RNA sequence: UGAGGUGUGGCCAAGCGGUAAGGCACCGGGUUUUGGUCUCGGUAUUCCCAGGUUCGAAUCCUGGCACCUCAGCCA
């Protein structure tokens, strides 16, 4: 993977290098990516996937894919499949190391028993509300549960009966006996097991008690022989508990938890809960809507795994809360596609051009380079006829300064074809709208150059009027108008910042005939416009293209400056 | 007012006592049959602030300040 050369070092690699130097873990590196199957993966997960699998690759270790499926109420097999697909699509392979936290339920139960026997865990019969009250606050210590000093025998009996289904949800929980006065709330006798009389998507009805994250995660890591358990910053407060459980049980394998800052991307959201809202409320068409920051959305939009991996390498890994500019992601996909996307001509907002000195039924084929960045990409033929379409933006009746496209009396190059000169403008008498531009062509400029060395200011893309294909093109913009839609005042709602123009559908676009029958997922550069990807919605005779990203547009900048004076 | 973290250019991010890497963005020049690509050049006398140690501090010490996380039987 070429993009790996761009990787800079980071504090996690420093830690691992130090560990290897000290022969900790016999020099092995085992990481894991532990998604909960309760939603689709997004670009923030991609950061974690690239980190964990990337480290494993780099240090010749392994990275486990482990589904953290301890809460059957929220989880579903649908998500398991999508997560596997996304990880694979990103280019990573967990090999034999596919696990489910639920695979470890039996051993977890044994560990809980052990803790009880050590007097380090007890069955608490306080209600959820009471537990909250007893917990104290951020600044005040908590109070010990009246059930805290039940005998080991009583605890064993109660826990056994919890497992046997003798109690209802919420009647009892198993808690660790740690310190109700700890400044760290997660050490104030945290819940280890709760009763949930629901069917689990993998273990069926075998269990009616399910272990909590804190209990499950560290032990699963330990059971699987993970060496470096990398997670996001919000788990920093949980690390003492992670360590306490492993230490108290005397686990041989004690992975090191390391926290890094999660990815935030401007103009979008990374919260699974909020993304689910967008889907359920119909603000987007689904998890794979091309505007979504999900892996499936980016995939449908046309992003490549290479570009996403490159992005993840460039953003770095650190502990500082940060917000990465969307322009970096856009840069990565442009850079990737510039090298490999075939060039093609397409007109999004067609304006008819009639070449008045060209034969009425004349057709000829001009040669076009498939990719000037790739010598092996070859050439193709494009039909040229008397009636053509150019982009409406490429003609101005009254051109501003520095506009060097078509205008009355001006000569421009039609790429790969001829120089044409605008002779006449036909307008709608009522509206004044330009309906057609009549031009002459210079037969001596075939191929788009002139022997006399004459310079033309502009080169336009074009398409034959009757030898082009009608198509639909979907243009995308930021989902939100606010750079950080999660930064909202109380009472405000991120939905208030949804961008009404995040999707623009163009239905009368014309694309060159070579695009007929393009397969969904194929990517192209539409010359002078941007990179586009064939959407699965495409019909037999109506291809649909998603704009992945526009080309950089320095004319747009100039024009903006002119307008601003 | 508890505990744990974090502060380096517009956005990321190296830096680990020897005098501020790199990328994105931005600005300018060149090349160009994509106003794309490519290419050349510019952009922090300064690292949250204030003291201190040192020949020398973004890096060490002290004291402030700002921001983030934690009071689920979620993860």
């Amino acid at each position: 993977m070429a993009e790996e050369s761009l990787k800079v070092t980071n504090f996690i690699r420093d830690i691992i290098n130090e560990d290897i130097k000290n022969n900790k873990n016999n020099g092995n590196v085992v990481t894991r990516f532990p998604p909960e199957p309760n939603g689709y993966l997004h670009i923030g997960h991609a950061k974690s996937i690239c980190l964990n699998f990337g480290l494993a690759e780099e240090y010749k270790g392994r990275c486990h894919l482990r589904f953290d499926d301890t809460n059957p109420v929220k989880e579903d097999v649908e998500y398991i499949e999508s997560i596997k697909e996304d990880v694979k699509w990103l280019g990573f392979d967990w090999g034999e190391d596919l696990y489910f936290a639920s695979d470890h339920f039996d051993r977890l139960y044994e560990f809980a028993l052990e803790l009880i026997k050590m007097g380090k865990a007890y069955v608490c019969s306080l209600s959820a509300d009471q537990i909250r009250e007893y917990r104290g606050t951020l600044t005040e210590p908590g109070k010990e549960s009246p059930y805290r000093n039940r005998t080991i025998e009583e605890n064993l009996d109660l826990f056994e009966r919890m497992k046997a289904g003798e109690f209802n949800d919420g009647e009892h929980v198993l808690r660790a006996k740690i310190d109700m006065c700890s400044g760290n709330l997660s050490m104030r006798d945290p819940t280890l097991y709760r009763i949930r009389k629901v069917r689990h998507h993998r273990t069926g009805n075998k269990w009616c008690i399910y272990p909590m994250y804190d209990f499950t995660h560290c032990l699963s890591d330990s059971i699987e022989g993970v060496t470096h358990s990398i997670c996001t910053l919000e788990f920093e407060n949980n690390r003492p508990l992670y360590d306490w459980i492993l230490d108290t049980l005397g686990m041989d394998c004690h992975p090191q938890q390391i926290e890094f800052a999660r990815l935030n991307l401007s103009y979008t959201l990374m919260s699974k809960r909020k993304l689910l809202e967008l889907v359920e409320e119909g603000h987007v068409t689904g998890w794979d809507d091309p505007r979504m920051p999900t892996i499936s959305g980016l995939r449908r939009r046309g992003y490549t795994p290479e570009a996403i991996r490159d992005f993840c390498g460039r953003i770095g890994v650190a502990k500082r809360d940060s917000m990465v500019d969307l322009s970096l992601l856009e840069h990565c996909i442009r850079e990737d596609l510039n090298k490999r996307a075939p060039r093609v001509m397409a007109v999004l907002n067609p304006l008819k051009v009639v070449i008045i000195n060209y034969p009425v039924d004349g057709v000829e084929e001009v040669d076009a380079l498939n990719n000037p960045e790739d010598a092996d990409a070859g050439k193709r033929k494009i039909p040229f006829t008397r009636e053509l379409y150019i982009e409406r933006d490429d003609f101005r009746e009254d051109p501003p300064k520095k506009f060097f496209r078509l205008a009355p009396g001006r000569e421009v190059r039609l790429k790969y074809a001829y120089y044409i000169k605008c002779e006449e403008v036909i307008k709608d008498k009522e509206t004044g709208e330009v309906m057609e531009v009549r031009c002459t062509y210079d037969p001596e400029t075939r191929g788009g150059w002139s022997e006399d060395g004459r310079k033309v200011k502009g080169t336009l893309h074009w398409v034959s009027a009757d030898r082009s294909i009608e198509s639909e093109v979907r243009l995308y913009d930021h989902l939100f108008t606010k750079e950080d839609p999660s930064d909202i005042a109380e009472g405000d709602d991120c939905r208030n910042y949804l961008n009404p123009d995040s999707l623009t559908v163009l239905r009368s676009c014309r694309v060159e005939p070579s695009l007929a029958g393009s397969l969904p997922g194929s990517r192209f550069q539409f010359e002078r416009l941007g990179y586009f990807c064939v959407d699965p919605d495409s019909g037999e005779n109506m291809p649909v293209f998603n704009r992945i990203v526009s080309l950089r547009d320095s004319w747009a900048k100039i024009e903006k400056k002119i307008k601003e004076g």
Side-chain angles (χ1 to χ4, degrees):
Chain A
M1 291 174 205
E3 69 263 23
E4 292 194 340
S5 59
L6 282 165
K7 269 190 195 163
V8 283
T9 187
N10 61 53
F11 77 101
I12 298 179
R13 286 155 44 110
D14 291 346
I15 291 171
I16 294 178
N17 289 336
E18 192 64 19
D19 289 347
I20 288 175
K21 206 172 85 186
N22 298 327
N23 201 36
K24 190 176 171 187
N25 310 308
N26 296 315
N28 290 325
V29 174
V30 180
T31 57
R32 100 271 90 110
F33 174 63
E36 183 187 13
N38 67 344
Y40 281 68
L41 260 27
H42 53 60
I43 183 88
H45 294 109
K47 176 180 182 181
S48 173
I49 292 167
C50 290
L51 215 210
N52 280 294
F53 281 93
L55 252 14
E57 246 169 53
E58 187 181 342
Y59 290 96
K60 309 268 181 286
R62 357 183 266 276
C63 178
H64 298 184
L65 173 62
R66 181 173 73 233
F67 288 94
D68 223 325
D69 55 350
T70 58
N71 187 359
V73 177
K74 290 188 175 177
E75 297 152 6
D76 197 283
V77 282
E78 171 198 356
Y79 299 120
I80 294 175
E81 290 314 309
S82 79
I83 289 169
K84 285 189 198 166
E85 184 189 354
D86 289 348
V87 174
K88 269 191 249 172
W89 178 79
L90 277 172
F92 297 103
D93 181 10
W94 53 85
E96 304 289 293
D97 297 300
L98 172 65
Y99 301 92
F100 291 82
S102 55
D103 292 343
H104 308 313
F105 279 178
D106 285 311
R107 297 191 61 183
L108 257 19
Y109 180 76
E110 295 300 321
F111 284 128
L113 252 25
E114 217 172 301
L115 238 29
I116 294 173
K117 288 176 190 160
M118 280 187 256
K120 296 292 188 181
Y122 63 98
V123 172
C124 180
S125 309
L126 253 21
S127 70
D129 284 344
Q130 289 171 314
I131 286 183
R132 188 179 319 118
E133 280 168 36
Y134 275 73
R135 185 154 32 226
T137 68
L138 293 177
T139 52
E140 301 157 32
K143 287 184 302 189
E144 295 190 349
S145 163
Y147 303 100
R148 200 173 199 256
N149 294 313
R150 287 216 252 230
T151 63
I152 290 173
E153 291 66 34
E154 193 180 358
N155 283 320
L156 251 16
D157 174 62
L158 249 14
F159 189 50
E160 177 66 38
R161 288 162 61 198
M162 281 168 66
K163 182 192 178 215
E166 288 187 32
F167 307 111
N168 292 319
D169 289 16
E171 275 188 63
H172 308 281
V173 293
L174 184 73
R175 291 226 253 169
K177 193 188 283 188
I178 308 181
D179 177 10
M180 290 308 291
C181 295
S182 172
N184 182 341
L185 302 227
S186 65
M187 296 298 270
R188 319 241 264 227
D189 289 10
T191 302
L192 266 22
Y193 267 90
R194 76 291 216 190
I195 300 171
R196 281 261 196 288
K197 292 194 165 170
V198 292
R199 185 185 168 78
H200 185 281
H201 50 96
R202 299 202 88 237
T203 59
N205 293 319
K206 177 173 179 185
W207 298 90
C208 63
I209 54 173
Y210 292 96
M212 299 287 289
Y213 165 83
D214 286 305
F215 188 65
T216 308
H217 204 86
C218 56
L219 288 168
S220 298
D221 282 345
S222 177
I223 290 167
E224 294 174 20
V226 166
T227 57
H228 301 269
S229 180
I230 302 167
C231 61
T232 44
L233 250 28
E234 67 270 26
F235 291 100
E236 224 155 10
N237 296 318
N238 302 48
R239 179 158 26 100
L241 178 53
Y242 185 106
D243 290 331
W244 183 91
I245 292 170
L246 296 184
D247 285 340
T248 304
L249 286 167
M251 302 298 289
D252 289 337
C253 172
H254 189 138
Q256 180 179 5
Q257 175 176 308
I258 305 169
E259 311 85 10
F260 71 98
R262 65 193 316 149
L263 170 67
N264 293 296
L265 237 200
S266 54
Y267 299 105
T268 192
L269 283 173
M270 229 52 97
S271 141
K272 271 196 215 173
R273 202 192 92 245
K274 285 178 183 156
L275 293 176
L276 178 63
E277 262 172 33
L278 295 177
V279 172
E280 286 181 337
E281 293 172 10
H283 298 111
V284 294
T285 57
W287 286 100
D288 69 341
D289 186 298
R291 291 167 292 182
M292 292 281 273
T294 50
I295 304 300
S296 52
L298 291 164
R299 177 166 60 231
R300 183 165 178 183
R301 173 85 165 251
Y303 271 84
T304 61
E306 290 82 357
I308 294 174
R309 275 189 255 127
D310 182 30
F311 172 75
C312 291
R314 289 181 190 237
I315 55 179
V317 177
K319 300 197 68 157
R320 163 175 8 174
D321 285 308
S322 62
M323 166 80 71
V324 175
D325 238 86
L326 188 62
S327 64
L328 181 59
L329 218 210
E330 294 181 339
H331 167 82
C332 292
I333 187 64
R334 283 192 186 108
E335 188 173 80
D336 185 23
L337 261 20
N338 176 52
K339 288 177 306 201
R340 20 185 236 174
R343 271 56 170 175
V344 108
M345 295 214 276
V347 174
L348 268 32
N349 294 296
L351 171 63
K352 181 169 278 186
V353 169
V354 179
I355 312 294
I356 53 181
N357 59 339
Y358 197 83
V360 175
D361 295 319
V363 187
E364 64 188 297
E365 304 221 287
V366 297
D367 285 321
L369 253 27
N370 287 331
N371 187 348
E373 302 293 318
D374 178 2
D376 298 327
K379 291 190 288 190
R380 70 187 184 287
K381 303 277 189 194
I382 304 177
F384 183 87
T385 53
R386 175 181 162 99
E387 296 200 352
L388 310 166
Y389 290 116
I390 63 167
E391 211 65 64
R392 286 201 99 86
D393 284 350
D394 285 340
F395 175 81
R396 283 298 173 78
E397 211 183 348
D398 188 16
K401 255 202 191 85
K402 291 186 180 168
F403 180 88
F404 41 83
R405 278 116 94 144
L406 196 63
R410 287 224 193 143
E411 186 175 57
V412 297
R413 170 190 297 116
L414 292 183
K415 186 155 180 156
Y416 299 129
Y418 293 101
Y419 290 2
I420 61 167
K421 187 174 177 189
C422 174
E423 307 288 354
E424 192 186 351
V425 182
I426 313 287
K427 294 199 276 190
D428 184 294
K429 287 198 175 67
E430 301 288 303
T431 65
E433 188 192 357
V434 176
M435 304 303 288
E436 179 181 316
V437 176
R438 301 175 77 83
C439 299
T440 51
Y441 84 114
D442 179 352
E444 299 302 307
T445 59
R446 190 169 201 278
W449 63 281
S450 160
E451 213 153 314
D452 62 11
R454 171 164 33 121
K455 291 281 184 227
V456 287
K457 295 140 271 197
T459 300
L460 311 187
H461 61 277
W462 54 275
V463 107
S464 160
D466 57 10
R467 307 253 174 153
S468 56
I469 302 168
E470 186 179 6
S471 68
E472 177 179 318
V473 173
R474 300 172 182 170
L475 306 179
Y476 302 104
D477 197 354
H478 307 150
L479 237 191
F480 291 92
T481 53
K482 196 169 164 33
E483 180 164 354
D484 182 2
S486 71
D487 175 33
I488 42 177
E490 275 189 47
D492 202 355
D493 191 306
C494 64
R495 296 183 195 76
N496 295 334
Y497 302 97
L498 277 163
N499 180 5
D501 301 318
S502 61
L503 169 65
T504 304
V505 180
L506 267 24
R507 298 184 196 281
S508 312
C509 311
R510 309 290 310 189
V511 302
E512 63 169 71
S514 71
L515 253 27
S518 296
L519 267 22
S522 320
R523 306 178 184 87
F524 302 93
Q525 184 197 99
F526 288 1
E527 295 257 7
R528 302 209 304 137
L529 295 173
Y531 297 96
F532 294 78
C533 182
V534 181
D535 190 86
D537 282 351
S538 296
E540 187 72 13
N541 298 309
M542 177 63 86
V544 175
F545 294 94
N546 295 314
R547 183 173 68 191
I548 308 167
V549 68
S550 67
L551 251 29
R552 292 184 66 209
D553 187 353
S554 56
W555 164 242
K557 280 181 201 164
I558 296 169
E559 198 179 27
K560 196 176 162 204
K561 258 188 233 165
I562 292 173
K563 276 182 184 158
E564 288 166 354

